[in-house]
Amino acid sequence: MSADILNAQHNDDTFENIWQELKWRGLVHVSTDEEALEKALSSETVTFYTGYDPTAASLHLGHLVQLLVMRRLQLAGHKPIGLVGGFTGLIGDPRQTSERVLNSREVVAGWVDSLRSQIERFLSFEGENGARMVNNLDWGGQLSAIDFLRDVGKHFRVGTMVKKEIVAKRLNSEEGISYTEFSYQILQGLDYLELNRQYGCALQTGGSDQWGNLTSGTELIRKVEGKTVHAIGTPLITNSDGTKFGKSEGNAIWLNPQMCSPYAFYQFWLNTADADVVDRLKVFTFLTRAEIGEYEHKVETEAYKREAQKRLAYEVTALVHGVEATHQAIAASEALFGKGDFAALDESTLQTVMSELPSVELSSDQLDLITVLTELGFASSKSEARRILKEGGASVNGAKVQGEDAVITAEQLLHGKYAIVRRGKKNQGAITVV
């Protein structure tokens, strides 16, 4: 299986054009003139952009939808611009519930660099339709308040602005909305205008929850330049049971491996419900229509094998973290279920696995299994620990141990200081020698 995004080919001949493919994959929730947009994407090279505000140190799964839409459009021959909002990120787009905390300029600048490196991994910068990266601080930071009001603000009508869904919702809330966040849609419209002027950008993509901001740009360009440009709003991804997609135990699934390990990332996708997995394959992988159809059949006939989930987890983890990290995540998963070798895991992956298990720190003179089992809570007393060992009910790093005098030797320690201890089939714990 290959998940090299830069070498992926747009070769699914079941589609007449990229517009039809985007629709089949469920990636179009709303758009400007569909007929004109389909014609443009089918007959010419369209320069398009997607913006990412640095409101955190990493992108998350919601952003991954946009990154993959960008790559699909580029594979179809169109020219992407990745915009990191060093200017708009100083404000942040309005949230559904409350005002954002304004971060310092230094923090935002650091996040700009982090997000830019993440975005660049999904695009190719070579060839006639090579990608371009921009930062809206380059033009927004030079704009005076008077110029902003005279040249940009005069084209926006307050009556229209307050009808935008997110603004209307915030206006009707107890907290309301500040002028700072209210003005965000003007700033995003300015970005589109600037990119249209500089690079001929004629399409913006984003989440459907951003539709008001996207159309601010199309309207501004129409009024100022007399041009018709386009926007595509992708649907917000939700689970079939109505819960919010992209969360694991209440936490966002980040693309930064320091914030969400490749192992945890892989497990998130592996746990996809049968009712959701086919849609996830369409949105988050580059598998063809025929390949996805095969997995859809497997879900219907052999769901217990979870082959679709395994392929999904492999493909998306490899796209985001690379093939090697994905193989480590698979090896860790297999080792936890007694089908692999803990010794084959690198230290980072092993530490991630250990973080999900009961764990204790022990000194080098506490490595007898009686002490280990009791410290981990797998035995309520030393006598119970002796019975477990006598019956062969314990293992270290997947190897069964037996005998009341069993100890964890220095040679058994993984990376010189770790061990995974199991009691029976269900109880697993980790020790760290300090």
Side-chain angles (χ1 to χ4, degrees):
M1 292 182 286
S2 173
D4 186 344
I5 190 168
L6 293 183
N7 293 325
Q9 298 296 315
H10 181 258
N11 58 3
D12 192 344
D13 59 9
T14 58
F15 294 103
E16 294 180 2
N17 53 50
I18 183 60
W19 177 253
Q20 292 301 326
E21 181 175 351
L22 292 176
K23 290 189 69 175
W24 177 79
R25 290 183 182 272
L27 289 169
V28 180
H29 178 75
V30 63
S31 75
T32 49
D33 188 327
E34 179 172 339
E35 183 177 348
L37 185 51
E38 181 174 10
K39 181 179 179 181
L41 290 172
S42 301
S43 60
E44 59 188 88
T45 297
V46 176
T47 298
F48 68 96
Y49 95 96
T50 309
Y52 304 85
D53 272 345
T55 52
S58 172
L59 300 175
H60 53 65
L61 288 190
H63 299 115
L64 183 58
V65 176
Q66 304 308 320
L67 290 169
L68 297 183
V69 167
M70 291 184 77
R71 185 55 184 155
R72 293 184 203 283
L73 286 167
Q74 186 177 33
L75 286 170
H78 303 292
K79 188 177 180 65
I81 299 174
L83 183 149
V84 183
F87 182 57
T88 45
L90 292 169
I91 296 174
D93 61 316
R95 295 190 300 182
Q96 296 281 342
T97 53
S98 61
E99 291 278 320
R100 290 183 181 274
V101 175
L102 297 182
N103 297 295
S104 71
R105 294 176 183 268
E106 293 74 21
V107 166
V108 171
W111 289 351
V112 165
D113 292 339
S114 177
L115 267 58
R116 176 171 182 146
S117 65
Q118 289 183 323
I119 295 166
E120 287 175 343
R121 286 194 60 249
F122 290 83
L123 302 172
S124 172
F125 292 82
E126 300 176 355
E128 293 183 359
N129 69 326
R132 182 189 302 272
M133 293 296 300
V134 296
N135 182 343
N136 59 17
L137 187 63
D138 292 341
W139 56 84
Q142 313 303 316
L143 194 64
S144 71
I146 289 297
D147 289 339
F148 171 72
L149 293 173
R150 284 176 57 87
D151 299 338
V152 184
K154 69 176 181 178
H155 295 291
F156 287 81
R157 295 294 175 262
V158 172
T160 302
M161 294 175 68
V162 298
K163 292 178 183 178
K164 304 290 186 182
E165 182 179 358
I166 184 63
V167 173
K169 185 172 183 178
R170 285 283 297 279
L171 283 173
N172 292 324
S173 69
E174 289 186 10
E175 185 165 342
I177 188 171
S178 69
Y179 174 75
T180 299
E181 290 197 359
F182 177 66
S183 67
Y184 182 90
Q185 59 184 285
I186 302 179
L187 301 181
Q188 189 163 329
L190 173 63
D191 287 344
Y192 201 170
L193 175 63
E194 189 68 26
L195 294 178
N196 179 264
R197 285 171 167 172
Q198 287 193 41
Y199 308 113
C201 182
L203 170 63
Q204 181 183 182
T205 68
S208 59
D209 60 332
Q210 292 283 311
W211 188 243
N213 294 331
L214 272 66
T215 55
S216 292
T218 61
E219 283 298 297
L220 181 61
I221 292 171
R222 182 183 64 80
K223 291 177 180 178
V224 175
E225 301 292 329
K227 297 178 181 177
T228 298
V229 293
H230 296 285
I232 297 173
T234 60
L236 298 183
I237 309 298
T238 56
N239 296 322
S240 57
D241 61 4
T243 58
K244 189 171 183 179
F245 169 75
K247 301 280 186 177
S248 179
E249 298 179 358
N251 299 315
I253 303 297
W254 302 100
L255 306 190
N256 185 328
Q258 269 64 58
M259 297 171 68
C260 179
S261 72
Y263 170 77
F265 191 85
Y266 178 85
Q267 290 296 319
F268 171 82
W269 294 102
L270 197 61
N271 290 326
T272 302
D274 291 340
D276 295 319
V277 68
V278 173
D279 287 341
R280 301 291 182 264
L281 286 168
K282 291 179 180 180
V283 171
F284 291 100
T285 79
F286 286 83
L287 299 184
T288 66
R289 190 173 188 174
E291 289 174 310
I292 293 173
E294 291 177 5
Y295 282 107
E296 185 171 18
H297 178 70
K298 290 178 179 180
V299 171
E300 293 171 353
T301 59
E302 300 177 319
Y304 66 93
K305 292 184 178 180
R306 299 186 68 77
E307 289 188 36
Q309 282 87 346
K310 292 175 184 177
R311 185 67 185 270
L312 174 67
Y314 176 90
E315 291 291 331
V316 186
T317 308
L319 284 174
V320 174
H321 296 297
V323 172
E324 183 176 347
T326 303
H327 287 160
Q328 281 285 312
I330 294 171
S333 183
E334 291 177 345
L336 277 173
F337 288 96
K339 299 177 181 179
D341 183 7
F342 285 109
L345 306 182
D346 61 42
E347 186 168 1
S348 175
T349 304
L350 181 63
Q351 288 175 336
T352 302
V353 171
M354 291 173 59
S355 69
E356 299 190 7
L357 300 174
S359 61
V360 294
E361 294 184 346
L362 300 173
S363 63
S364 57
D365 59 358
Q366 293 179 295
L367 298 184
D368 61 280
L369 265 297
I370 291 177
T371 299
V372 170
L373 290 172
T374 53
E375 288 293 324
L376 283 171
F378 293 168
S380 59
S381 64
K382 289 187 175 182
S383 60
E384 184 183 7
R386 289 191 183 94
R387 178 183 61 77
I388 293 169
L389 292 169
K390 186 176 181 181
E391 295 174 353
S395 65
V396 175
N397 300 333
K400 185 171 289 189
V401 295
Q402 195 161 4
E404 297 177 20
D405 57 350
V407 298
I408 299 175
T409 65
E411 291 74 19
Q412 288 176 296
L413 292 175
L414 306 171
H415 302 286
K417 56 183 176 180
Y418 308 112
I420 306 295
V421 178
R422 182 193 295 265
R423 181 206 167 173
K425 294 182 178 181
K426 296 183 179 180
N427 297 312
Q428 287 193 98
I431 68 163
T432 302
V433 179
V434 296

